[in-house]
Amino acid sequence: MGRVKVFRDLIGIIKDKASQSKAALISNPRTLSLHLALLRATTHDPFSPPDPTHLATLLSFGHCSRATASTAVDAIMDRLQTTRDASVAIKCLITVHHIIKRGSFILQDQLSVYPSTGGRNYLKLSNFRDDTTPLTWELSSWVRWYALYLENLLSTSRILGFFLCSTSSSVDKDREEDRVSSLINTELLKEINSLGNLIEQIAKKPDSSNSNGNVLVDAVLGLVGEDYLSSINEISIRVSEFKERLDCLGFVDSVELVCALRRLEECKERLSTLSQRKKVMIESVWGSINEVKDQIGNSKAYKEDEGRLLMMGRRNKVSESARFGERVVMKHSGNSVKFSSGRFLSFNDLTFPAYASME
């Protein structure tokens, strides 16, 4: 087994040297440094993470023209899609993650194009397998999960309107709270559901105990752990906003919110060991999630509407989706106007005269 490992490591070194020599011979002189930095950052060595110097070189191409940034992202995605080596693939994904977290806006913008343009999804690696050794087989499961996680991260960032976890597009908390308070309920639910999808994907991570402390897995967990803290902070802002709106939240929106909060709670135990930082803050957010969920479930209006919905279902024998649609129509009838945020509840006592339809 020892000889096989040494032989495989030697083959990896030879492949890395050959790839760099080939790049030096056939690459455009203008992009030679880009291709060499990428090859050096994504070597076949399963026991060394991407070198920070080479990552910095790759990120520097985001400060050039948009065409150069596009070339850099194309090169990373091409290497990711063509390799069959788990170490190379996971290092490519780590590089993508660094672009999301530390890249310039131009570089991030080029990266975000891939899963959203309707073309080929370069992060789709659900069939990736490297069965060369037990270690590469284990790393393959991390490649599949990590690619799907990054796809979710980009999707959530598009819905929020900024790159979640990015240092270059960090949002001031006060400004973000003001923006969130201006959202209508459907938009706010869309954001919290998207954040819930991301949290669920984090919770689905492979069992790290099987990787025997591999440095690549540790590097991935470090980056995802930072994302988890950022996601929890964004969830906290939205849960607090919904807490302000409970008195004017419709039944259907209440049901969707309760479902979203339950989904989050189901992930709590699986995420308990992900980050050792800010434990008090994290527990406070989980407490707020449980509090809001219970307040909705125990509210008189929620119970009454739930009871009427069940009675209507037994009487009319209609589908659940049809009953929800009918409930929306009934809930929004009348002449009163409700403001989204609970901060403006004092205005909700105002009524407006009904006018004849203009149709």
Side-chain angles (χ1 to χ4, degrees):
M1 181 64 72
R3 289 183 179 180
V4 172
K5 179 180 178 302
V6 171
F7 183 66
R8 185 179 184 279
D9 292 345
L10 181 61
I11 291 177
I13 294 172
I14 294 173
K15 285 183 177 180
D16 292 333
K17 294 294 183 183
S19 297
Q20 293 173 32
S21 299
K22 181 180 178 181
L25 289 173
I26 67 174
S27 294
N28 187 313
R30 294 182 179 179
T31 60
L32 176 59
S33 58
L34 162 64
H35 289 289
L36 289 178
L38 175 59
L39 292 170
R40 290 165 180 165
T42 58
T43 63
H44 291 73
D45 184 0
F47 300 103
S48 64
D51 188 287
T53 303
H54 303 316
L55 285 176
T57 300
L58 288 171
L59 293 176
S60 69
F61 288 97
H63 300 288
C64 301
S65 66
R66 186 172 292 275
T68 302
S70 178
T71 300
V73 173
D74 284 342
I76 296 168
M77 293 302 185
D78 182 65
R79 183 151 174 81
L80 176 61
Q81 283 293 314
T82 56
T83 187
R84 294 295 177 264
D85 186 279
S87 302
V88 173
I90 205 165
K91 290 178 186 181
C92 286
L93 292 171
I94 289 173
T95 303
V96 170
H97 205 161
H98 274 281
I99 291 176
I100 296 173
K101 294 179 71 68
R102 299 166 45 210
S104 67
F105 172 77
I106 294 178
L107 204 57
Q108 292 173 337
D109 187 50
Q110 292 299 310
L111 181 64
S112 67
V113 166
Y114 280 89
S116 61
T117 54
R120 183 181 184 186
N121 183 358
Y122 287 82
L123 291 173
K124 186 178 180 181
L125 298 173
S126 56
N127 294 323
F128 186 91
R129 300 287 190 281
D130 181 357
D131 58 1
T132 310
T133 68
L135 176 58
T136 60
W137 181 256
E138 175 64 23
L139 289 178
S140 295
S141 65
W142 284 90
V143 170
R144 296 190 297 273
W145 169 80
Y146 196 21
L148 185 55
Y149 166 74
L150 292 176
E151 187 179 343
N152 271 267
L153 180 58
L154 288 172
S155 176
T156 299
S157 297
R158 279 194 296 273
I159 290 173
L160 296 181
F162 60 91
F163 282 91
L164 186 68
C165 323
S166 171
T167 56
S168 62
S169 61
S170 57
V171 179
D172 179 79
K173 185 175 181 180
D174 291 335
R175 283 170 46 199
E176 177 65 358
E177 288 177 348
D178 289 341
R179 185 192 71 82
V180 167
S181 68
S182 69
L183 297 175
I184 61 175
N185 289 339
T186 52
E187 293 171 340
L188 193 53
L189 283 167
K190 183 178 181 181
E191 291 193 354
I192 203 165
N193 274 316
S194 182
L195 287 162
N197 291 339
L198 187 65
I199 292 295
E200 281 186 324
Q201 185 58 32
I202 294 176
K204 292 176 182 177
K205 65 181 178 63
D207 185 0
S208 58
S209 63
N210 296 328
S211 60
N212 297 318
N214 180 267
V215 291
L216 294 180
V217 172
D218 289 345
V220 170
L221 289 175
L223 291 169
V224 174
E226 293 173 2
D227 294 353
Y228 171 56
L229 293 177
S230 298
S231 301
I232 283 291
N233 184 61
E234 295 300 328
I235 289 170
S236 174
I237 293 173
R238 285 150 185 82
V239 169
S240 296
E241 179 57 33
F242 268 122
K243 190 174 182 179
E244 295 285 338
R245 302 186 185 191
L246 291 183
D247 291 337
C248 59
L249 204 60
F251 176 66
V252 175
D253 288 340
S254 297
V255 171
E256 187 172 350
L257 178 58
V258 168
C259 290
L261 298 180
R262 283 175 178 167
R263 284 173 55 209
L264 285 169
E265 284 191 322
E266 288 172 0
C267 301
K268 180 180 177 181
E269 293 303 319
R270 287 174 286 169
L271 297 170
S272 59
T273 60
L274 185 61
S275 178
Q276 301 302 314
R277 297 169 50 206
K278 300 184 178 181
K279 282 192 171 184
V280 174
M281 183 272 285
I282 292 173
E283 285 302 317
S284 175
V285 174
W286 287 119
S288 296
I289 289 172
N290 183 68
E291 180 184 356
V292 171
K293 185 200 68 175
D294 287 347
Q295 282 182 351
I296 295 173
N298 294 329
S299 67
K300 182 179 179 181
Y302 181 87
K303 290 180 177 179
E304 288 178 352
D305 280 345
E306 188 177 36
R308 289 173 190 159
L309 189 65
L310 292 173
M311 289 176 63
M312 190 186 307
R314 286 193 293 268
R315 185 170 59 248
N316 298 328
K317 295 183 180 180
V318 295
S319 67
E320 184 174 344
S321 60
R323 281 182 265 130
F324 269 68
E326 184 177 359
R327 192 64 215 170
V328 173
V329 174
M330 294 172 63
K331 200 68 181 176
H332 289 287
S333 62
N335 301 321
S336 63
V337 176
K338 292 289 187 180
F339 288 86
S340 294
S341 179
R343 297 184 180 88
F344 306 110
L345 280 177
S346 58
F347 293 102
N348 285 333
D349 295 328
L350 298 176
T351 57
F352 295 82
Y355 293 92
S357 173
M358 299 297 291
E359 297 180 1

